[in-house]
Amino acid sequence: MHELNWGLPVILYLFLAGLGAGAVTVSGSVLLRKGGFHDSRMDIARYGALIGPIPVMLGTFLIVFELGQPFRALNLFKMINLSPMSIGTWALALFIILSGLYAICFIPRQATWPWLGKARRVLAWLCVPLGISVAIYTGVLLGAMPARPFWNSPILAGLFVLSALSTGTAAIMLTVALFGEKSAEHREGRENDQYLLVSSDALLLGGEMLVIFLFLMFAHLTIGDVRHAVEVILPGGSLASLFWWGVVLIGILFPFVMELFQVVPKLLYGRTFRSSLVLEVAVALSVLAGGFALRYIIVVAGQVTGPTTL
Amino acid sequence: MNDQEKPDTSRRGFVQLLAGGAVAATAASALGSLAPAGGAESTAKQSRIQYGMLIDTRRCIGCHSCSVACKAEFDVPLGVNKSWVEYTEKGTFPNVNRHFLPRLCNHCSEPQCVAVCPTGATYKRPQDGIVVVDSGLCIGCKYCIQACPYDARFLNPVTNFADKCDFCIHRVSKGLLPSCVNSCIGGARIFGDVNDPESEISRQIAANAVTVLRPGKGTEPNVYYIEADITEQAENSDGSYRVRVTTHRSIKERR
């Protein structure tokens, strides 16, 4: 058995930082598009902003303590170089600070002071690109190593971004479903919010499916290192059952079908969108579980495989 | 411009200074008596010392004296190795053979561990081409361990720093040979400056058919082998093994 140098703390960091960065990115994008939107959309921006920084900080805490001597992590700030980890560290540090401020701006529900609304927008402009950087750099980091054929693919970074946005959307969906305004006069706004979240998540999951298909397809069609590495998740491989059941079925296909089931009547036939608490909670939880399974599979599979010839 | 991955250290500045025109010639001759005779014509990069090793596997008897000498030299903790010997057993009786493959850090000319290091803790020394880890900067993130195609790095369980072979820098800088070379009873290892065409190692590399490990990874290793058997462990589906690789490490499989 190969040595797993990067274990659960790293896997959790990839999952949590992706989720948080995704939630803040979705929140910022929705806030900046508010012009054409129903006023209730502020709920999406607010919940995304409030929940986003927490998992990022938690994940960062985990990887810093994974080092053994946590204060040594300060060495990362003595320089910046072209290592994806170095650039990612700076992006992550900036993101934590700015998304924290962004979250603070959303603690009062209404922007009572005019400068608050402006601060929200300025911070959103900064947090969206930074959130995408935090979500993408981990994929670039893993993809940069020819010694790890399972990871050494530019499409990995794309997969990480889609998964981050989709888990971020799911986290907002879950929060809105559980803690959103449930009063009767707010019902329409809430259903508009959930429609936007559910349809966006379906789109993101569709993108994830496409990327995973391309990943498997190219790996299967090639020979040598990459083919050998990807065999661990193909049927018969040691990680195959977790990949096909956990990632593909629970993480993507089930929520995708459920979301289409909710979205299609309005999208194609103009019927009223019916928000369903049980369905939204189930979909959000399965997307989150699938996002974690995806990070787990990728981090482990990359480490148990290697080049085939010396 | 092979150094572009790590542009911002003071060391890099030093390299660029060295690489620049007239300074290079003076610096190269000042740096070592091992500089090539034709140093004036060669480029700045070539005139620098690049230590390397040539391992003649025909002379290796798999006695592990290099592994033990390395362990003793650095007090390497249990379960990890800076230098080790792999056995490759092949064939079915009576047509069988066993080959030995001594392994260590390749001190690559294009080291991926250096390219990925986020703190600049791992760097290639400009004066002799040895890839070292600066334990004052290393944070123990293990990125370099993932990136090394040779599995030559490990996390030192005592210090929590990335660790690996450093060609016995403390011995070499005093004019001694690395410990593994010193202790090799078969004389299988030749150590020296591969950029000096007059050195013993350069002459032996020129005179023999040599290989490096995983040349396709683009790392340009500086550890050369004569008659290295790079056969990989075969799938053992029918129960009778044809190839078996023993790494003699806690990591049983080659990366």
Side-chain angles (χ1 to χ4, degrees):
Chain A
M1 191 62 191
H2 292 260
E3 206 173 15
L4 288 184
N5 280 301
W6 284 340
L8 201 57
V10 174
I11 298 167
L12 275 170
Y13 165 72
L14 294 187
F15 169 66
L16 291 171
L19 189 163
V24 173
T25 305
V26 170
S27 153
S29 321
V30 168
L31 181 82
L32 295 172
R33 277 290 317 276
K34 195 180 144 251
F37 280 159
H38 192 279
D39 194 39
S40 71
R41 294 280 148 85
M42 280 301 290
D43 264 9
I44 297 181
R46 181 158 186 266
Y47 284 121
L50 289 178
I51 61 168
I54 300 165
V56 180
M57 288 178 199
L58 187 66
T60 308
F61 180 84
L62 285 173
I63 41 162
V64 167
F65 276 83
E66 192 257 354
L67 296 178
Q69 283 101 317
F71 287 110
R72 226 190 258 164
L74 294 173
N75 283 351
L76 285 164
F77 299 102
K78 287 182 180 167
M79 71 177 311
I80 182 163
N81 61 23
L82 286 182
S83 160
M85 196 181 283
S86 178
I87 296 171
T89 304
W90 285 97
L92 180 67
L94 272 177
F95 178 79
I96 287 178
I97 296 168
L98 293 174
S99 69
L101 291 174
Y102 181 64
I104 290 170
C105 287
F106 274 95
I107 290 175
R109 195 176 191 89
Q110 299 297 332
T112 354
W113 308 283
W115 59 265
L116 191 61
K118 198 166 196 175
R120 286 177 181 175
R121 293 183 68 82
V122 169
L123 285 167
W125 274 114
L126 296 167
C127 282
V128 169
L130 275 174
I132 290 178
S133 313
V134 169
I136 207 167
Y137 96 88
T138 48
V140 178
L141 189 155
L142 297 186
M145 295 177 279
R148 298 294 190 182
F150 190 93
W151 292 337
N152 192 16
S153 151
I155 213 161
L156 191 70
L159 181 60
F160 274 25
V161 173
L162 286 171
S163 159
L165 290 173
S166 142
T167 48
T169 309
I172 301 177
M173 198 194 294
L174 187 65
T175 321
V176 171
L178 293 179
F179 306 108
E181 194 72 52
K182 290 195 181 67
S183 57
E185 83 265 21
H186 207 269
R187 186 196 168 95
E188 198 192 337
R190 202 170 86 86
E191 302 220 313
N192 278 333
D193 281 356
Q194 288 293 29
Y195 176 71
L196 179 68
L197 288 171
V198 171
S199 53
S200 317
D201 199 50
L203 193 65
L204 291 165
L205 289 178
E208 257 186 83
M209 259 190 273
L210 179 69
V211 170
I212 287 179
F213 169 74
L214 291 175
F215 186 84
L216 291 178
M217 189 74 185
F218 277 87
H220 184 68
L221 289 176
T222 188
I223 51 170
D225 292 355
V226 178
R227 168 67 187 272
H228 181 73
V230 88
E231 270 167 5
V232 295
I233 59 167
L234 291 180
S238 55
L239 293 165
S241 50
L242 182 59
F243 176 72
W244 292 100
W245 289 102
V247 177
V248 176
L249 201 69
I250 296 176
I252 299 178
L253 282 180
F254 166 72
F256 184 70
V257 170
M258 288 297 123
E259 283 166 351
L260 284 191
F261 178 69
Q262 271 191 295
V263 166
V264 163
K266 172 161 175 171
L267 193 70
L268 294 187
Y269 307 110
R271 303 211 183 117
T272 330
F273 175 78
R274 285 274 159 252
S275 173
S276 150
L277 182 76
V278 178
L279 210 58
E280 276 148 17
V281 170
V283 162
L285 288 179
S286 67
V287 169
L288 293 176
F292 176 75
L294 178 73
R295 305 306 170 110
Y296 181 91
I297 293 278
I298 285 178
V299 172
V300 173
Q303 294 182 82
V304 297
T305 54
T308 47
T309 54
L310 195 61
Chain B
M1 294 314 282
N2 58 321
D3 297 324
Q4 64 193 3
E5 289 88 357
K6 201 173 82 54
D8 285 328
T9 63
S10 54
R11 295 177 209 109
R12 184 65 61 218
F14 180 58
V15 184
Q16 278 154 359
L17 186 70
L18 278 187
V23 186
T26 2
S29 51
L31 268 176
S33 52
L34 292 171
E41 301 96 74
S42 56
T43 67
K45 187 189 172 187
Q46 285 168 336
S47 68
R48 260 185 275 147
I49 296 172
Q50 170 62 63
Y51 283 131
M53 197 177 284
L54 175 65
I55 299 176
D56 187 346
T57 61
R58 297 169 303 187
R59 287 171 160 270
C60 178
I61 59 165
C63 69
H64 291 281
S65 66
C66 48
S67 320
V68 175
C70 179
K71 279 270 186 187
E73 191 73 32
F74 293 96
D75 202 7
V76 180
L78 279 177
V80 287
N81 300 78
K82 293 184 178 193
S83 172
W84 69 100
V85 183
E86 293 175 352
Y87 291 4
T88 307
E89 294 169 20
K90 291 199 294 192
T92 39
F93 182 82
N95 302 313
V96 291
N97 209 337
R98 174 189 262 175
H99 291 269
F100 308 115
L101 190 68
R103 301 282 305 273
L104 71 165
C105 170
N106 283 288
H107 296 278
C108 306
S109 293
E110 290 286 343
Q112 248 245 305
C113 50
V114 171
V116 301
C117 180
T119 61
T122 281
Y123 61 99
K124 193 168 173 64
R125 284 173 31 125
Q127 62 267 45
D128 51 20
I130 299 179
V131 176
V132 291
V133 183
D134 179 345
S135 54
L137 281 173
C138 177
I139 60 166
C141 70
K142 302 178 272 291
Y143 197 1
C144 56
I145 299 173
Q146 306 283 7
C148 175
Y150 306 103
D151 226 355
R153 289 172 164 261
F154 55 90
L155 192 75
N156 188 312
V158 175
T159 62
N160 262 328
F161 295 125
D163 208 347
K164 67 173 197 65
C165 157
D166 65 357
F167 269 168
C168 280
I169 240 170
H170 59 292
R171 293 174 59 94
V172 170
S173 59
K174 291 186 171 60
L176 298 169
L177 287 170
S179 196
C180 57
V181 181
N182 194 43
S183 63
C184 182
I185 61 167
R189 290 167 182 252
I190 300 171
F191 177 79
D193 178 12
V194 293
N195 279 352
D196 174 7
E198 298 303 314
S199 65
E200 170 72 5
I201 183 170
S202 294
R203 285 192 277 116
Q204 291 298 330
I205 288 171
N208 288 282
V210 296
T211 52
V212 293
L213 299 182
R214 292 197 168 129
K217 295 294 166 196
T219 48
E220 301 177 20
N222 286 302
V223 173
Y224 295 82
Y225 290 89
I226 297 174
E227 276 201 17
D229 192 329
I230 59 165
T231 315
E232 288 288 330
Q233 176 102 35
E235 295 294 331
N236 196 11
S237 51
D238 61 346
S240 61
Y241 79 85
R242 301 290 170 101
V243 177
R244 184 171 70 192
V245 174
T246 315
T247 61
H248 297 111
R249 307 176 88 191
S250 57
I251 310 159
K252 302 280 181 238
E253 288 170 51
R254 279 178 183 155
R255 161 89 61 80

